[in-house]
Each structure stands twice: as C-alpha cells, then as structure tokens.
Amino acid sequence: MNTWQAWLTERNLHDLLTLPQKVLEREWAPSNEDRAAAWDLYTELRTRITTQPLHYRSGDEESALDSLFKLFGLTRDLLHKYQRKSSHFAVLSVFMLNGILRPFTARWHKLKLAGRLSNEDTRRDFRQRFLDLQVKLTRFQTLLGHLAEDADFKVGSESGLIVGGAPQFNLGGDIAADAALATLHPAIWVSEKAEIIKRRETVLQHQNADSSNLIGLAISGGGIRSATFALGVVQYLAERGFLAEVDYLSTVSGGGYVGSFLSSYLNSDNAKVGPKSSQLPFVKPDTESEAKPVRHLRNHSKYLIEGTWFNHLHSVGQAAYGVLTNLLILLPFIVLLASLTVALSRFNQELHWLSIGAMSGMAVIVIGLGLVQNLARNGPCWKAFRDDYEFGVVFCSIMTAAGITFAFVPNVIHAYGELKSGIPMFLEMALSFATPTAIGGLVVAAKKYPGWSRWLMRLFWVSGPLALVVLYLSVTELLIRRGQENLNLYWWQAGIPLWENVVVPWWVIVAATLGVMAYCFLCLNVNMTSPHSFYRRQLAGAYLLKHGANDQPEGNSELKLSELSANSKAPYHLVNGALNLSSSTNVELRGRDSDFFLFSKHYCGSPILGYHLTKEWEALDGHLNLGTAMAISGAAAAPIMGMVSVFGASFMLTVLNVRLSYWLRNPGTKSNFAFMPTALTGPGPGYLLAEMLGRSNENSAYVNVSDGGHLENLAIYELLRRRCKFIIALDGECDPLMTFGSLIQVIRFAQIDFRIRIDIDLSDLRLDQTGFSRAHYALGVIEYPNGDRGYLLYIKSSLTGNEPEYVLSYRAGHPLFPHESTADQLYSEERFEAYRALGHHAASDLFRPELVGPTHANAKVKDWFQSLADSLLAGG
C-alpha cells in the first residue's frame, strides 16, 4: 500500500507540511476531483504574485499581501466546488493555509492596518520574510503539480514556478579595451592600460589579462565627512573581495583623503598588504576589534589641530606671516601710486583744463556717434571709419577719467586728512584692515540668520576695496604733508623722532619701492606664504601611511605620484583638481571658468592646458607629490574657485590669506628666469595680485589649481572619459535637501562633452515626509555614444531608518547628520564612527538577499551588478 508518507518522501516534500501521523499512515489514493482541484489551484498559483518575483522598486508590498489573502477565499471556493470527493486536496490545502500562510498574513495584516507597511524598515523586513514564504509556496505549487498530473508531472516544466530566479536584465556586451581612445589622449591610455593589465595579472592572477570592462570607484568631495563615509563603504567592498577588482580609483577633495590612504598603504611589497579581504589595511587581527591602519585614521580624526605645541605655534606664525606678507606685497604698489599722485598733483591746474577739454571733445563725438553708426551700415570705408571713431570715444573717455582723477584727488586727499585729523596713520591703517576681518567673523557667527548673513557678506566684499582706498589715501596724504614739512616723521605721533630735517624726494621713494618690488618678484614664492603647507602637513600625517614593523602604520608623506602602485596592488589613482581659468578666452570653457585637472602616476594636466609626463611636473616643482596633490584637490577655500567663485571675494580672501589653492609650474611654457637657481624661482607676487583680481589663465608660467569640487565634485567625469563599464560612485557631499546637484551637473557635463547619456531614477533617495529616504543607492544606465552600455551605482550618504542604533542615536542629537557642514573638520570619536558605520551599512544594504539573492563566495563585481540590475532595473 502506498501511504501519504511514502508519496511525500518520494517527492522530497515530507518536510513541507506538518501532518498528523494518522494522516501520514493512510493510503495515498487521490480521486479525479482531487486532481481537478489541485490543477485549478496550481494554475492560480503559478500566475500570482505569491510565487512570482516582487520587483524591488516597482513591486507593491500591499498588493502582494492582498494576493496572499485571496488564496484563502480561492481555496474555500474549490473545497465547496469539489466537496468531499476531494479529501486529499482538502487536507493538503487546509494545512498549507493554517500552517504556512496564516502565521504570515496574521502578522503583516496588523502592520498594514497600522500604516507601517510603507515604512522602509518594515518594507524590507516584509520582503525578506516574503522571500522565505515564497520558497514554501513554490514547493507547495510543486506538490499540487504532482497531485494534479501524477506521473506526467515534471519538476521545472511549470511556467509559473521560479526556476533559477527572474529573467536576467541584459547588461549589454563587453566594452572593448580601447574604447577610451574616443575621449582620452592615446599616450595616456597606453600607459594606464599597461598598469591595469599588470594589476589584473598580479592581484586577480588573470593570465593574458586585458583591459576590457573597466571598473571604477569614485569618491566625492566633502572633507573628512565624505572621507569617513567612504571609508566604511570601501571597508565593506574589501570584505566582499570587490576592492581587488577595481581598476580605477578616482577621487576629489575630501574623497582624496581616503583615496590617498589606499594608494599610499597599498604601495608595499609586504604580502600582508593588499586589496583582498584577508590583507591589510582592512583585515582585523584576531586580538583586536579593527585593523591598525583604520584605528590610526580614527585616532587622527582631528587632524587639523594635532601636533606638538611647537607645531601649533608654527601654524599660528605661518598664518600671521602669510597675512603680513600679503600686505607688504600690496604696500609697494600703494606707495608707487601715491608717489605718482603727488608728482602729478603739481600739474593740477593744467590737468584740470585738459579734463574740461577732453570732456567737451568727447561730448561732441558721442553726439555724432549715432549719425556715424547709421551712415556706416553700408560700405567698407564707412565701417572702417566707424571703428576708428569708436576707438576715439574710448580714448577720450579714458583721458577724461584720468584728468578728473588727478585734477581733484589732491583736494579729496586734503578733505580726507581734515576729516580724520588726530588719528595716527598706523592706527588708521590697522583699523582699515581689521574691520573687514571683524565683519568676516560676524558673517560666520550670523550663519543661522540668513538675512543678516547675506547683508554682512555683501559688506565684507565691499570693505576689502575700501580698505585699499584708505591705505592709498593715507600714504598719499603722508607724502604730501611730509614733503611740505621737511619729512619730520614721528613714531606713533608720540614725540619720538625717527629722523628730522630730512627731505626725501618722491622719486627716491619710487626707486626704493621698485627695488623692493623687484626683490619680491625674483625671490618670493607665494605658495610658501599660503596655508597650503600647513594643510598638506596635517593631512599627510593623518592619511598617508605605509606598512611598518609589527603591522604598525608609519608615515609616508613624501611618496611621489610617479611612484604610485609600484607593486600593482592599488587601483590606478586619478586625483581630480580644478584648473582655474577665470581670465581665459578659450570658448571651450563655456562659462565654467575652469578645466578638469588631473594628477596621476604617468600624466598630469587638463584638456585645455594639455597633458605632460608627471615626472616633468615633479622636476619643475620638488614639492609636488601625492600629499601635495591630495591637498590641492581638497583646497576648498581660495580666492579663485572655478564655477563657484564669488564675485568680489577674491581680494579679501587673498589679503586674509584664505589661499589653499596652488600655483603649479606650467611645463608648456618657457621660464623667463631659466638662468636663476631653482631656490630663487617660483610664483612671485604677481600671482598673488592675480588672485586678488581673480584672474588666471592657461598661458602663464604658473597655473592656479584648486579643489576639484569647484568644477565636478563626484570624481565621475574622468571615469566616463575612460569608458568604464561599471562605476561605483560614493557621494558624501553636503546635500541636506537631497537635490543631487553634483550628480545632475556631471550628467550634464557628460552629455555636452562626451555625448554620454546617463539614465538614473533617484526617487528612492529623495526625502519622504519623515525626513528619511527609501534607499541609500540608485542604479543608472550609461549609454556611451558608440552603443556600449555601462552602469553607474550611486551610493548616497542618506538615512533610511534601519541603520545601527548608535547611528540613529547620533542623528537624534545632531539633526543635520549625515550632512553636517564641511567647514567642521574636527571629528570626535562618536561622529567619526557614525559616518563610518553609515557607509559600512549603506554598502551592506546592497547585498541583502531580497535585493541580490543568495551570493556565493566567488561572486564578481559583474555578477553583483547583474543581480542589482535584475532587481532595480528589470521590469522597473
């Protein structure tokens, strides 16, 4: 006799339902009505959402739950239809409803009524448990198939059963190895291609490796906030073994901190060091909670204020020296202008009449301008006359302005002297420059009050030029009065004579001024007077490390760019900066005022400037290395800032020495001082004046490079230029409203510059009514112009509500998290861990079973993207 037990065991279904023993011992003898009822329910199941994939993005959890509820009514209808003649079907279906389905629906129906099924945490829990339920329901569907068709039934033949998962999304074909040649200089591509192939052979142990299907990791700007968030993501990717597959590491601004940490530490021959999950810098020792290099980053999260008392004193001295030097560079120009004013004031009367004559002549010309322009519409001779005529108008205007200035300036200076009579000149000059500084402090203090802050900011920009005017008037007044009084100079006007009865002609002052200016222009390097060296030193001490004795990290601050990845362990590093070209006439800039500047192992440069071998750049500037490139790429505050330059701000930012940008020697130009020793060369005061005026271009001997975020803050652009198949972009910038400004901008750049189209749905990242997002990521499709298809995985610093409890606790006390101000670069242990843990959590979310299915130990980046595309793109 064939029993229920034997029948179920033979089909490996004995553990699906918990049936009473007396039922299992019965004879298995289903009727035709059992088979008919089983076939009806089997047909329903294989077309229902209960056994079909619930698409991750467009699937409706409430619809899935409703579909499960309908199974109760459908089964009852079948039992009524076939009545007692379907006893086998009745027993099996009732135990399925009560033992498998009812516990699930009872729990989730309550949550649905409470309105919690739309909550992201609850939604994800539902999906995970729904997947577990689907496994049982599909096995029950198989049971029904056996019951309905008996020996004719073949496992896997039923169309509705999930066999091997949902249909795969088509990732498209491979991207050929030389596809990057379309947008990348051939010499650059050849050198990078060799590095990529060598690394794939070394790290992945691929024989005859090629450079197809490039994988790029981009880390955005955002200071230490972005670096710490990215650290958590990179840690998890390393744990999964995916960091070893990354070909390109593209970083900008704060992303360069952690990117340079990777490039520096992986530049080691030690077998313990590498990108794999079992290697440093991320593998944990058995006796410690985290790797020592990561602990070093945690312990130095207040890098800007670290060091001995001497280092702090040096920093204060450097800042004061920079401001003082800037003022002293300005002073000779002021003295020269004042001396010229004094000299020309002797011709006051003549210039006065000259001004009147010029104004009269210009009036006659302007009146006739309309007639001339009307007559010049036709005929080349008239057109030439019109051009000459307009030149005359401009010339007369300049002469008139000059005449008026030198005719009336002495009177203005005299009135000014009477107005401030009794105020010592040194005190007057000090107050004139202290006032803008104080206003700047008020701007920072009033940042919570937008209205006040906006007006104070405008006053700050205006106060800079006014301070310069005050200095000019004061020096001119001094020269005029002292020239009339035998130049009796008194220290602080306190009766202490410096020298008496000495008459210094104005031309002597001019000559001395020119001498000082010549000395400064030949010997002074304005890179050394900026805060760059301090910023670089602090950054390098925290992030540039190498493997040392006993696995302890050691400093590696002098690592050259040309020595990167000497052992082919680190991805090829692209450090992104912004070449500031505010005064360039190149139409290719299209109003961007900057170009994409690249630092890398083999080449540095930009499309407009051109690319030169990195060793050439290093030979021209011995200070240039990985630490310098990292600091330049993160030079967020500067007088000239590419697309984000603030009109009118450059003067005061320069005077106050807010100058983190860097002047690099341009290999494409010849030096006018080639005969001088290297120690006496460098960007002189002329470049400081260029910063004050906000002027820089690609044709000067030195070019100004600052934070890459001043043009493109996600570091994606260079990966698109290289036609990467898979791009993982980590966005940790400050974006509290989740407007994705930097992503939208790079999408526009890609379309305009490369004809690359990026299609990405960001709806799950936008904030809901509770202030949370539905996801930490979005997957987009990259359509390259030659028909190749790539993928952009965009991981955003966001909160969904399912983060670790201590991360949510930090958010409760810091409502701006995870978008706290980039200006705050001093991180406590609590804040550091909140951002690192958020990054680690966001990456782990991308491997949840309901999103990518069960992963296996040998999964590759391509497999991961395939699973993500199946869930996030297929059917969406």
Side-chain angles (χ1 to χ4, degrees):
M1 180 182 68
N2 190 20
T3 64
W4 283 58
Q5 179 72 54
W7 189 84
L8 290 169
T9 302
E10 182 181 351
R11 290 155 181 78
N12 198 28
L13 298 168
H14 57 282
D15 59 340
L16 177 60
L17 302 173
T18 305
L19 299 175
Q21 188 62 32
K22 61 180 182 180
V23 174
L24 293 174
E25 293 174 354
R26 290 180 186 173
E27 180 182 5
W28 177 260
S31 64
N32 290 333
E33 285 76 6
D34 283 317
R35 299 186 190 283
W39 177 257
D40 288 349
L41 186 56
Y42 169 77
T43 303
E44 286 289 340
L45 277 176
R46 66 180 182 173
T47 58
R48 281 182 171 271
I49 198 171
T50 52
T51 55
Q52 296 304 306
L54 181 61
H55 189 267
Y56 184 78
R57 297 194 68 246
S58 60
D60 188 342
E61 290 78 14
E62 292 193 9
S63 296
L65 188 57
D66 290 340
S67 182
L68 292 173
F69 270 114
K70 290 177 181 178
L71 286 178
F72 286 94
L74 178 63
T75 305
R76 283 194 294 268
D77 290 342
L78 291 174
L79 291 176
H80 285 300
K81 177 179 179 180
Y82 294 102
Q83 299 180 358
R84 294 183 179 181
K85 294 180 180 181
S86 59
S87 59
H88 285 55
F89 172 78
V91 171
L92 293 171
S93 59
V94 168
F95 272 91
M96 181 275 294
L97 292 175
N98 293 330
I100 296 177
L101 203 56
R102 192 176 299 280
F104 183 91
T105 55
R107 175 188 178 187
W108 292 104
H109 184 63
K110 292 180 181 178
L111 294 175
K112 175 186 173 183
L113 293 177
R116 293 179 57 189
L117 201 54
S118 59
N119 176 271
E120 184 63 19
D121 284 346
T122 310
R123 175 175 169 261
R124 292 180 177 181
D125 190 20
F126 175 88
R127 287 179 168 275
Q128 180 59 56
R129 296 180 184 274
F130 183 70
L131 281 175
D132 297 338
L133 176 65
Q134 280 186 316
V135 173
K136 296 179 181 179
L137 289 177
T138 52
R139 291 189 69 200
F140 181 72
Q141 183 182 355
T142 302
L143 185 153
L144 292 174
H146 282 291
L147 175 57
E149 297 185 295
D150 198 17
D152 295 332
F153 179 76
K154 294 180 180 180
V155 176
S157 63
E158 58 279 56
S159 62
L161 181 63
I162 301 176
V163 179
Q168 285 195 325
F169 181 86
N170 181 13
L171 286 182
D174 295 342
I175 294 184
D178 292 327
L181 288 177
T183 51
L184 192 63
H185 192 280
I188 300 176
W189 172 237
V190 169
S191 62
E192 294 180 1
K193 176 181 177 180
E195 292 281 343
I196 290 167
I197 292 175
K198 183 179 178 181
R199 182 173 184 271
R200 288 183 172 186
E201 292 175 343
T202 302
V203 175
L204 302 178
Q205 297 181 344
H206 288 174
Q207 295 182 355
N208 301 319
D210 60 18
S211 56
S212 63
N213 293 338
L214 297 170
I215 300 171
L217 174 63
I219 307 179
S220 80
I224 192 174
R225 180 192 61 248
S226 176
T228 310
F229 171 75
L231 174 64
V233 177
V234 173
Q235 274 184 290
Y236 195 85
L237 293 179
E239 292 170 12
R240 285 282 178 170
F242 288 175
L243 181 60
E245 291 191 67
V246 173
D247 300 304
Y248 280 112
L249 173 62
S250 182
T251 64
V252 61
S253 195
Y257 303 176
V258 69
S260 297
F261 160 71
L262 283 173
S263 292
S264 175
Y265 201 90
L266 293 177
N267 201 55
S268 171
D269 290 324
N270 195 297
K272 293 181 179 180
V273 177
K276 296 182 179 179
S277 58
S278 59
Q279 295 176 303
L280 288 168
F282 296 124
V283 66
K284 302 175 184 177
D286 294 336
T287 58
E288 299 182 27
S289 60
E290 67 182 348
K292 291 179 180 178
V294 176
R295 179 58 58 92
H296 174 94
L297 299 184
R298 185 188 300 277
N299 292 340
H300 292 78
S301 59
K302 295 184 178 181
Y303 67 95
L304 278 181
I305 60 172
E306 289 184 334
T308 64
W309 66 269
F310 179 79
N311 288 336
H312 294 315
L313 184 62
H314 176 268
S315 302
V316 174
Q318 175 73 22
Y321 168 73
V323 175
L324 180 61
T325 302
N326 295 343
L327 291 175
L328 289 177
I329 290 173
L330 272 178
L331 191 58
F333 291 95
I334 299 297
V335 172
L336 180 62
L337 182 60
S339 301
L340 290 174
T341 303
V342 172
L344 291 173
S345 65
R346 298 177 180 180
F347 305 101
N348 190 336
Q349 190 67 25
E350 290 81 356
L351 286 174
H352 177 68
W353 285 108
L354 178 62
S355 299
I356 294 175
M359 291 175 63
S360 302
M362 189 179 69
V364 172
I365 293 175
V366 169
I367 292 172
L369 181 61
L371 177 61
V372 171
Q373 288 180 332
N374 188 46
L375 292 174
R377 285 182 301 175
N378 301 310
C381 58
W382 276 102
K383 181 178 182 302
F385 177 74
R386 185 191 68 184
D387 293 341
D388 294 338
Y389 192 89
E390 291 180 350
F391 172 79
V393 172
V394 173
F395 178 77
C396 288
S397 300
I398 294 174
M399 291 299 297
T400 300
I404 292 174
T405 299
F406 290 111
F408 296 105
V409 158
N411 295 327
V412 172
I413 292 173
H414 177 73
Y416 171 78
E418 294 297 331
L419 180 65
K420 62 96 186 178
S421 178
I423 301 177
M425 189 189 72
F426 293 106
L427 179 60
E428 171 195 356
M429 293 167 60
L431 288 175
S432 66
F433 282 96
T435 300
T437 306
I439 296 173
L442 290 175
V443 170
V444 176
K447 61 182 179 180
K448 292 184 179 180
Y449 307 96
W452 281 98
S453 181
R454 183 167 56 253
W455 283 105
L456 285 170
M457 183 69 75
R458 292 170 181 170
L459 186 60
F460 177 66
W461 302 148
V462 172
S463 63
L466 286 179
L468 201 62
V469 171
V470 169
L471 182 61
Y472 161 72
L473 292 175
S474 299
V475 173
T476 307
E477 180 203 9
L478 175 68
L479 292 177
I480 290 176
R481 290 193 175 188
R482 296 310 181 188
Q484 297 170 350
E485 300 173 5
N486 291 335
L487 206 63
N488 291 322
L489 297 177
Y490 291 90
W491 178 251
W492 202 252
Q493 295 189 357
I496 305 175
L498 288 179
W499 63 79
E500 296 182 1
N501 301 320
V502 177
V503 178
V504 181
W506 65 268
W507 57 267
V508 173
I509 297 176
V510 172
T513 300
L514 291 175
V516 172
M517 291 172 64
Y519 170 79
C520 289
F521 271 84
L522 290 175
C523 301
L524 191 64
N525 186 331
V526 296
N527 281 334
M528 299 299 103
T529 64
S530 77
H532 164 82
S533 57
F534 162 75
Y535 182 48
R536 181 203 175 281
R537 183 181 70 245
Q538 299 301 103
L539 272 178
Y543 287 95
L544 295 189
L545 307 174
K546 63 182 178 181
H547 183 261
N550 299 320
D551 296 338
Q552 291 290 345
E554 297 178 354
N556 196 23
S557 62
E558 300 304 317
L559 178 61
K560 290 185 176 181
L561 287 165
S562 58
E563 296 173 352
L564 287 177
S565 195
N567 304 286
S568 301
K569 292 181 178 180
Y572 194 84
H573 196 171
L574 309 173
V575 183
N576 293 269
L579 175 66
N580 293 302
L581 302 173
S582 56
S583 59
S584 175
T585 57
N586 194 314
V587 296
E588 287 297 316
L589 291 176
R590 292 183 287 276
R592 298 174 185 177
D593 291 335
S594 54
D595 196 19
F596 300 91
F597 194 90
L598 171 70
F599 295 96
S600 71
K601 176 178 180 177
H602 291 291
Y603 283 88
C604 299
S606 80
I608 288 177
L609 183 68
Y611 293 91
H612 299 270
L613 289 170
T614 299
K615 289 185 178 180
E616 291 184 26
W617 292 88
E618 291 174 340
L620 291 171
D621 189 341
H623 188 66
L624 178 59
N625 51 33
L626 178 60
T628 301
M630 171 178 61
I632 295 173
S633 177
I640 315 175
M641 298 184 290
M643 291 186 69
V644 297
S645 297
V646 181
F647 178 76
S650 58
F651 176 80
M652 280 310 302
L653 290 175
T654 304
V655 171
L656 296 177
N657 216 33
V658 184
R659 301 171 47 239
L660 288 176
S661 58
Y662 194 85
W663 291 95
L664 280 170
R665 181 73 176 85
N666 185 352
T669 60
K670 293 182 179 180
S671 173
N672 295 325
F673 304 101
F675 61 91
M676 296 186 64
T678 304
L680 296 180
T681 59
Y687 292 97
L688 187 78
L689 297 175
E691 286 188 85
M692 289 182 179
L693 298 174
R695 308 282 290 176
S696 62
N697 61 64
E698 70 274 25
N699 299 316
S700 57
Y702 289 84
V703 290
N704 187 268
V705 185
S706 64
D707 193 320
H710 293 158
L711 182 58
E712 198 268 292
N713 201 38
L714 292 183
I716 295 174
Y717 188 89
E718 292 296 337
L719 298 179
L720 294 172
R721 190 196 297 277
R722 286 156 176 79
R723 294 290 198 268
C724 285
K725 176 74 173 181
F726 303 109
I727 298 176
I728 306 168
L730 314 183
D731 184 359
E733 70 174 358
C734 187
D735 185 16
L737 299 179
M738 302 298 270
T739 57
F740 317 105
S742 292
L743 178 62
I744 292 170
Q745 182 161 278
V746 76
I747 290 174
R748 185 177 76 248
F749 286 162
Q751 177 65 47
I752 295 172
D753 297 353
F754 304 140
R755 293 188 298 113
I756 294 174
R757 182 173 178 270
I758 301 176
D759 184 13
I760 187 169
D761 185 350
L762 302 171
S763 57
D764 283 350
L765 283 167
R766 301 188 189 279
L767 300 178
D768 60 20
Q769 294 179 348
T770 64
F772 287 95
S773 302
R774 294 185 66 187
H776 298 289
Y777 46 79
L779 183 64
V781 178
I782 306 170
E783 298 290 349
Y784 291 113
N786 62 348
D788 288 330
R789 183 193 299 168
Y791 295 89
L792 172 64
L793 176 58
Y794 178 64
I795 305 177
K796 182 74 168 177
S797 179
S798 58
L799 291 174
T800 60
N802 70 331
E803 291 76 18
E805 197 58 43
Y806 58 87
V807 174
L808 295 176
S809 175
Y810 181 82
R811 164 62 180 262
H814 303 81
L816 294 179
F817 174 83
H819 298 284
E820 295 168 288
S821 173
T822 308
D824 188 352
Q825 292 286 288
L826 305 178
Y827 271 38
S828 64
E829 177 184 308
E830 180 187 20
R831 181 185 293 185
F832 182 94
E833 181 57 19
Y835 279 99
R836 188 210 64 82
L838 176 61
H840 194 273
H841 166 79
S844 67
D845 256 11
L846 283 159
F847 292 88
R848 295 195 319 277
E850 75 270 21
L851 180 61
V852 298
T855 56
H856 52 85
N858 297 322
K860 304 299 182 183
V861 169
K862 183 177 181 179
D863 302 325
W864 180 40
F865 268 82
Q866 179 68 70
S867 299
L868 291 173
D870 291 341
S871 293
L872 301 175
L873 298 178

